[in-house]
Amino acid sequence: MTDIILYDYWRSSASYRVRIALNLKGVAYQSIDTSLLEGAQKAPDYVARNPQGLVPMLSIDGRDLIQSLAIIDYLDAKYADPPMVSADPVARSRTLAQAMVVAADIHPVNNLRILKYLKTELGQDQEAIDRWYRHWIKEGFAALEQMAPEAGLFGGEQPNLADVCLIPQIYNARRFETDLSPFPTLVRIDAACNALEAFQKAAPEAVKPE
């Protein structure tokens, strides 16, 4: 039994990122389902360890790590192969910018707690909420499509942090029936990544609790 524990929710795109990174680096871990729908992330014992009350949280080396990109950064420092970002400062900055289009711009305004607030506090119907979701995806993807390479992955021959962030967001885009035809390069990268075992094993349907 591994002592690396991921507090996870199968449909959380932030958790999905960490699952991909763990798999790419060949790091064995135990997953503990932390259902956002059931409010498990707000349990007092969980919040005592993760004050934000969000997923993912990775328990590793006697520490509780939070925030998906911070977790991946720790994994990258501890398990160097394959690297999620380049050692070259320019390439590193470019990858971080691409990843942040998803992690800092698209995802925060579209995560579950925001959608719940739109519905319960602002009284928006599901059609309006779905339009909101698709709007921010399209805006972010339009920029990311221009940043994407004509061939290969964002990481070239191997996935990098930008690829790790992109694939869960495309999964969510499809859930909300977003038209992806304006983003053929992103769709191509998504297909190439999902042909890899590390991505397949991290997919929501692959880890969904029975």
Side-chain angles (χ1 to χ4, degrees), residues 4-112:
I4 300 175
I5 300 173
L6 178 64
Y7 294 83
D8 192 11
Y9 180 60
W10 67 284
R11 260 189 175 164
S12 159
S13 57
S15 298
Y16 192 174
R17 296 172 200 152
V18 174
R19 295 195 302 264
I20 294 169
L22 287 164
N23 292 347
L24 285 169
K25 291 177 177 294
V27 178
Y29 68 95
Q30 176 187 356
S31 178
I32 293 183
D33 180 45
T34 309
S35 174
L36 301 184
L37 293 182
E38 296 175 5
Q41 80 282 9
K42 298 299 183 183
D45 58 341
Y46 186 83
V47 174
R49 298 168 63 187
N50 181 353
Q52 277 196 296
L54 301 173
V55 293
M57 178 170 72
L58 187 71
S59 179
I60 184 172
D61 298 333
R63 300 173 178 85
D64 292 327
L65 307 181
I66 63 172
Q67 288 289 344
S68 62
L69 267 61
I71 293 170
I72 294 170
D73 183 68
Y74 182 92
L75 294 172
D76 218 26
K78 185 175 176 67
Y79 307 99
D81 188 41
M84 293 291 97
V85 294
S86 173
D88 174 76
V90 174
R92 177 187 176 89
S93 178
R94 184 182 301 116
T95 296
L96 288 172
Q98 293 161 347
M100 288 293 184
V101 171
V102 173
D105 294 336
I106 300 174
H107 176 245
V109 296
N110 276 350
N111 68 19
L112 183 60

Side-chain angles (χ1 to χ4, degrees), residues 191-203:
C193 285
N194 280 313
L196 302 175
E197 184 179 19
F199 286 81
Q200 294 170 0
K201 288 184 173 181

